[in-house]
Amino acid sequence: MPANPHNHDIEQNLLIIGAGGHGSEVRAYIEALTATQRRLRLLGFIDDNRTRGTWLGTDVLGRLSDLEGFVRSREIGFLSYITAFGDNCLRRQIVRTIESFQLRSLRPWTLVHPTSLIGPKVEIGHGTLLAPNTLITTHAQIGDHTILNVRASVSHDCVIGDFVNLNPAAVICGRVELGEGSYIGAGAIVKDRVRIGRGVTVGAGAVVIHDLPDGVTAVGVPARVIKESTIDWLNS
């Protein structure tokens, strides 16, 4: 099981999986956390598209295919990782690959930025990211490997699935259900008591006032479906 993200007494040796734009943000968030968590140590990046060396002052340790050997060769006990890919399908694919290695000493880590506000009775999944100034009010469930980007907010009694991406300033009102793999664009609003299915894409700035079925793309104010169900998430 991943360590409690609020427990400053447990040593965390971290890997960021992904050295792109989102990876640079995750690195900055970890730097912010190390100011208060002295037992937090970033070991480096794992990325298929960068050569070994240094990027942004942090080591690039190899490709995803090198991860299993890297972990098995370490003598520092448990390692933790967080993925840094905004694409939900890619993020799930990477996690499934890591899980296939069956490395007991490697576990997903939940990153909660120190400026995030988390109310009572909130459950946050493994490998999930809460970026700066995110807000979760109360009695909410956030799934595994989900992203709440900068200033995203989730209100009371919401259920957010695994591998969801809430883009910057997305607003999820009370008692909303977001299905696994849903992607909510920047500045979009989902009205209270709406249910959004699996693999749904909501465009930036959209206002969702009605339920949306699995796999559709919806845009506009109010949001309307412009693309029917796709196979990308549902059959991947």
Side-chain angles (χ1 to χ4, degrees), residues 56-77:
L56 300 178
T58 299
D59 290 339
V60 178
L61 302 169
R63 300 168 59 86
L64 188 62
S65 57
D66 301 319
L67 178 61
E68 183 175 9
F70 176 82
V71 173
R72 294 191 188 281
S73 69
R74 305 299 291 184
E75 297 180 354
I76 58 176

Side-chain angles (χ1 to χ4, degrees), residues 128-194:
T128 284
L129 165 66
L130 271 62
N133 298 304
T134 50
L135 169 65
I136 308 172
T137 62
T138 185
H139 291 86
Q141 299 176 32
I142 312 297
D144 296 338
H145 302 285
T146 280
I147 298 170
L148 273 66
N149 219 313
V150 178
R151 294 192 295 113
S153 66
V154 175
S155 196
H156 64 91
D157 299 290
C158 287
V159 178
I160 311 298
D162 299 339
F163 300 102
V164 167
N165 189 341
L166 302 184
N167 276 258
V171 176
I172 311 301
C173 297
R175 301 188 186 279
V176 166
E177 294 183 25
L178 295 185
E180 179 182 2
S182 55
Y183 182 96
I184 310 300
I189 299 172
V190 181
K191 178 184 173 292
D192 60 293
R193 300 179 184 273
V194 165

Side-chain angles (χ1 to χ4, degrees), residues 42-69:
L42 176 60
L43 300 182
F45 293 100
I46 297 291
D47 191 279
D48 284 355
N49 297 312
R50 290 193 184 275
T51 58
R52 291 175 184 265
T54 302
W55 183 63
L56 300 178
T58 299
D59 290 339
V60 178
L61 302 169
R63 300 168 59 86
L64 188 62
S65 57
D66 301 319
L67 178 61
E68 183 175 9

Side-chain angles (χ1 to χ4, degrees), residues 54-100:
T54 302
W55 183 63
L56 300 178
T58 299
D59 290 339
V60 178
L61 302 169
R63 300 168 59 86
L64 188 62
S65 57
D66 301 319
L67 178 61
E68 183 175 9
F70 176 82
V71 173
R72 294 191 188 281
S73 69
R74 305 299 291 184
E75 297 180 354
I76 58 176
F78 284 102
L79 297 174
S80 300
Y81 76 91
I82 186 165
T83 55
F85 301 95
D87 182 288
N88 294 339
C89 288
L90 177 58
R91 192 162 68 259
R92 184 175 67 169
Q93 178 185 343
I94 295 296
V95 169
R96 296 294 180 256
T97 298
I98 293 172
E99 291 174 343
S100 73

